[in-house]
Amino acid sequence: MIRHMRTGLMTASILALSSGAAFADYELNILHINDLHSRIESINKFDSTCSAEEEGKNECFGGVARLKSLIDQKRQELSGKNVLLLNAGDNFQGSLFFTTYKGLAEAEFLNLMKFDAMTVGNHEFDESEDGLAGFLDKITFPVVTANVLPSHKSKIGDRIKPSIVLDVGGQKIGIVGAVANDTPELSSPGPDILIGDDVATTTAAVEELKKQGVDKIIALTHVGYPRDLAAIAKIPDVDIVVGGHSHSLLSNTDPKAEGPYPTMVDNPGGYKVPVVQAASYTKYLGDLVVTFDDKGVVKAAKGDPILVDSSVKPDQSVLARVAELGKPIEELRSKIIAKTEAPIDGSRENCRAKECEMGSLLTDAMLDRVKGQGVTIAITNGGGLRASIDAGDVSMGEAVTVLPFQNTVATFQIKGDGIREALENGLSKLEEGGGRFPQVAGMKFSFDKSKPVGSRVVSVEVKEGETYVPLDPAKTYSLVTNNYMRNGGDGYDVFKEKGENAYDYGPGLETVLADYLAAHQPFKPYTDGRITEVASAAGAAPAEPATEAKPAAGTDTATKPAATSGDAAASAASGPQKHVIAKGDTLWDLAKSFYGEGALWKKISEANGKPAPRALHVGRELEIPAK
């Protein structure tokens, strides 16, 4: 049914309209945050804890004291207007405050901000339901998540509702929540909590709100910006989506934004739904103004996130409480463990999409830690890297901020085909910025993200001595990873199901990182090409010879096909041939050599499963079909 035709209009309303009266529009102001990730203290440009020196230079952002101050300021500015303060989840995990207080510090400060509603994020289950139950015991605001389905044995009971209805300025506002469908893979909800389908459970909750006469409905989600756009905003009768999980900065002024704020999505009901998100780590406060018409349909939406920078003066009482809670962990955090020559990039956008400096550093450190055990390959999930490290002194607190999950080193053995399967899993959520992206050491791989999920790996090589050789599907290799992945976390079920001789070696990843930095200081960040993205065969198709990279003058031609163009072309004309790929080969050059015409490269490609034309796997044998 078209939204503006929905039932429920009273005869009296129709009579009022016919007599010349008109209903006034309703304006709702929504302030919101998402993915706080225990950034209790202010952060620097690397998303790690800000130093006193940086504070003195006005280089810091966020922190709960600044956030509380800005929320109070906005509420005062909006006095007399309709205001909601919403939290889209993932308050847990990310600093020593969570490591020490297990969510109780976060609960205390969120209470001071007086949120109207929150949805749980996947990280709210990092300490199983025990940690979430303790948090729920302390908070003073409602939690809504329709697809969190606890059993009768669950410790959280019925304290997480599918939806709530709030009276805001005399109008009923419905709020329904949802968390990511793959939360059981991303975290540890335990056996007594089922995570249902986000769309199905949200739809059912919205229908219940409709039955109660609620015609203004907000979906408060922790499923990620792409999922909000593709699915949540298209659920019938959802009016607004306030999201989290993907840490997406939406903005109308910042060139680095993932999309406009709000992003307007066409709902099948014939109306547009504003979708918003406010980055992460307390760095922004979302500020959305929505105007509804008298039928509860969004008429207009505008706003922009507010940068919580040094111009926002921290709330002094909150700042004092933060300092008080920080005393027990100050000694550990302030210990200097190493020096680095330059910033080490651990940014979310890089470590979840390609080789990043922090990924190379950590996997090399893990491999070094177990080198005496015959382990030759390291794999860790890019999503486990939560911050960068700036240049100069490196503290233990920074190491914990990068690796806050208390994961430990784990080793096991697995065959080559299992490693390839693991890499495919790691590449399966590229479009969503999934945390499962594999950072590696002791191996190299290339991938094509244009390929379907499950067939994105182009080539894999493993290090043997000082050289790299093709991965052997039947050979058993020794791996090091973290205990979370070894147990199937982030979709790495293959490690749990096919791994053998597993051993949780024990040291925490933050300790492994700290010890490696200490042994290699001053540390110089690096990437070395161990992970490469290649163009798809279709996208890389050279229409003209000029588009194909040619060897520079003086290039050693010994790596090219041994046959001359004429000899090879004559051979190819008489029947199919075989060719072992040498360094520097491209499909264009091979087609020119064997057929005398580079444009026939597609014939070779199709005969060999369409390999990436400019990233051929050295040593692989190609079929060269007859011309």
Side-chain angles (χ1 to χ4, degrees):
M1 179 182 294
I2 301 300
R3 181 65 182 267
H4 63 262
M5 293 296 290
R6 54 185 167 181
T7 60
L9 293 175
M10 304 299 292
T11 303
S13 301
I14 298 172
L15 291 173
L17 286 171
S18 66
S19 65
F23 291 112
D25 290 339
Y26 174 82
E27 187 175 272
L28 180 63
N29 296 268
I30 301 174
L31 305 175
H32 61 98
I33 68 165
N34 56 276
D35 298 279
L36 178 139
H37 281 298
S38 193
R39 293 318 200 266
I40 303 299
E41 298 171 296
S42 60
I43 59 172
N44 59 21
K45 64 181 180 180
F46 300 103
D47 296 332
S48 58
T49 303
C50 216
S51 66
E53 181 182 1
E54 289 168 323
E55 282 284 9
K57 294 179 180 179
N58 294 323
E59 296 175 346
C60 300
F61 305 89
V64 293
R66 274 197 181 89
L67 186 61
K68 169 70 162 55
S69 180
L70 181 58
I71 289 170
D72 288 348
Q73 176 188 322
K74 288 298 297 181
R75 280 196 170 117
Q76 186 172 2
E77 291 174 5
L78 298 168
S79 179
K81 297 188 177 183
N82 306 310
V83 182
L84 282 176
L85 177 62
L86 303 178
N87 182 321
D90 265 10
N91 302 287
F92 285 13
Q93 204 66 268
S95 78
L96 288 170
F97 278 84
F98 180 77
T99 305
T100 304
Y101 296 108
K102 305 299 182 186
L104 299 185
E106 289 77 9
E108 178 178 338
F109 293 117
L110 294 175
N111 282 341
L112 292 176
M113 297 176 205
K114 299 179 181 178
F115 280 87
D116 292 295
M118 169 192 144
T119 191
V120 296
N122 51 285
H123 282 292
E124 263 72 79
F125 294 101
D126 279 359
E127 295 291 322
S128 75
E129 67 170 329
D130 293 343
L132 179 54
F135 177 82
L136 294 173
D137 286 341
K138 189 162 186 176
I139 59 171
T140 56
F141 49 85
V143 178
V144 290
T145 315
N147 60 332
V148 170
L149 309 171
S151 75
H152 68 281
K153 296 187 291 183
S154 172
K155 296 177 182 178
I156 68 173
D158 62 352
R159 289 180 289 175
I160 297 179
K161 308 292 186 183
S163 67
I164 58 170
V165 178
L166 300 176
D167 185 316
V168 184
Q171 294 284 316
K172 291 181 178 180
I173 307 297
I175 302 175
V176 57
V179 69
N181 289 335
D182 56 353
T183 292
E185 297 176 10
L186 302 175
S187 192
S188 306
D192 296 324
I193 295 178
L194 175 68
I195 303 299
D197 179 75
D198 55 355
V199 171
T201 54
T202 300
T203 300
V206 169
E207 289 173 351
E208 286 299 315
L209 290 173
K210 289 291 294 171
K211 291 176 183 178
Q212 299 174 43
V214 179
D215 65 357
K216 299 175 183 66
I217 299 174
I218 300 169
L220 182 59
T221 70
H222 193 84
V223 302
Y225 181 54
R227 181 72 173 168
D228 282 334
L229 299 182
I232 304 298
K234 296 182 179 179
I235 294 173
D237 293 310
V238 164
D239 293 294
I240 303 166
V241 180
V242 177
H245 189 50
S246 55
H247 297 213
S248 299
L249 173 62
L250 305 183
S251 172
N252 303 311
T253 57
D254 192 321
K256 296 181 181 179
E258 290 185 38
Y261 183 105
T263 303
M264 303 302 289
V265 177
D266 289 321
N267 186 284
Y271 61 99
K272 290 187 179 292
V273 175
V275 176
V276 292
Q277 194 172 143
S280 59
Y281 303 151
T282 70
K283 192 173 183 177
Y284 292 90
L285 174 66
D287 185 14
L288 178 69
V289 183
V290 181
T291 303
F292 292 88
D293 67 16
D294 60 298
K295 298 172 185 175
V297 179
V298 172
K299 184 178 179 180
K302 62 181 180 180
D304 227 16
I306 304 169
L307 179 63
V308 190
D309 60 13
S310 60
S311 67
V312 179
K313 301 309 175 186
D315 181 292
Q316 291 303 305
S317 63
V318 174
L319 207 58
R321 179 59 176 157
V322 170
E324 183 181 0
L325 289 174
K327 286 178 182 177
I329 56 179
E330 187 58 40
E331 184 177 347
L332 169 64
R333 179 172 54 193
S334 60
K335 180 182 178 182
I336 300 301
I337 56 174
K339 289 183 181 293
T340 179
E341 292 184 5
I344 308 171
D345 175 31
S347 62
R348 178 187 181 93
E349 58 268 26
N350 288 332
C351 294
R352 293 171 178 239
K354 60 184 179 182
E355 179 189 0
C356 69
E357 291 171 350
M358 195 68 74
S360 296
L361 164 59
L362 178 60
T363 51
D364 282 350
M366 293 164 66
L367 204 54
D368 181 74
R369 191 71 171 212
V370 295
K371 60 187 177 184
Q373 301 177 30
V375 178
T376 58
I377 297 170
I379 301 180
T380 197
N381 51 330
L385 305 169
R386 308 303 285 194
S388 302
I389 291 177
D390 53 357
D393 288 343
V394 180
S395 68
M396 190 64 199
E398 288 178 289
V400 174
T401 301
V402 172
L403 297 160
F405 301 117
Q406 297 179 284
N407 292 137
T408 56
V409 172
T411 60
F412 62 99
Q413 293 178 316
I414 193 169
K415 292 188 181 297
D417 59 356
I419 294 174
R420 192 179 186 98
E421 185 178 337
L423 294 177
E424 290 288 5
N425 169 70
L427 299 169
S428 66
K429 300 281 188 178
L430 275 167
E431 292 81 2
E432 304 168 26
R436 63 188 62 189
F437 185 89
Q439 298 290 333
V440 301
M443 67 184 301
K444 295 180 178 181
F445 72 90
S446 62
F447 67 95
D448 181 351
K449 70 179 181 182
S450 72
K451 296 293 186 184
V453 169
S455 58
R456 291 178 165 177
V457 175
V458 174
S459 65
V460 188
E461 295 176 289
V462 294
K463 194 171 185 179
E464 292 188 0
E466 296 303 314
T467 62
Y468 286 88
V469 300
L471 180 76
D472 184 344
K475 183 176 178 178
T476 297
Y477 296 89
S478 292
L479 260 68
V480 59
T481 186
N482 59 70
N483 63 311
Y484 170 67
M485 291 172 62
R486 187 191 69 72
N487 284 301
D490 254 346
Y492 284 89
D493 296 320
V494 62
F495 286 169
K496 184 176 183 179
E497 295 168 0
K498 296 184 179 180
E500 299 177 349
N501 301 318
Y503 175 52
D504 285 339
Y505 181 59
L509 292 186
E510 73 282 359
T511 300
V512 171
L513 177 69
D515 290 349
Y516 190 82
L517 284 172
H520 295 81
Q521 59 178 315
F523 181 77
K524 185 176 182 178
Y526 57 86
T527 57
D528 52 20
R530 62 187 71 179
I531 303 172
T532 56
E533 180 181 349
V534 300
S536 66
E544 300 292 340
T547 65
E548 176 71 8
K550 294 294 188 282
T555 298
D556 183 2
T557 57
T559 58
K560 295 297 179 186
T564 65
S565 177
D567 293 341
S571 297
S574 62
Q577 305 288 313
K578 292 185 182 296
H579 172 76
V580 177
I581 297 169
K583 182 179 179 181
D585 279 349
T586 68
L587 293 184
W588 180 279
D589 289 330
L590 291 175
K592 191 171 183 180
S593 175
F594 282 96
Y595 302 139
E597 187 177 354
L600 294 178
W601 68 275
K602 288 185 179 179
K603 183 183 289 290
I604 302 174
S605 175
E606 291 170 358
N608 292 277
K610 298 183 178 180
R614 294 185 180 88
L616 300 179
H617 185 63
V618 174
R620 177 183 171 184
E621 188 174 74
L622 292 178
E623 294 286 339
I624 309 295
K627 184 177 180 182

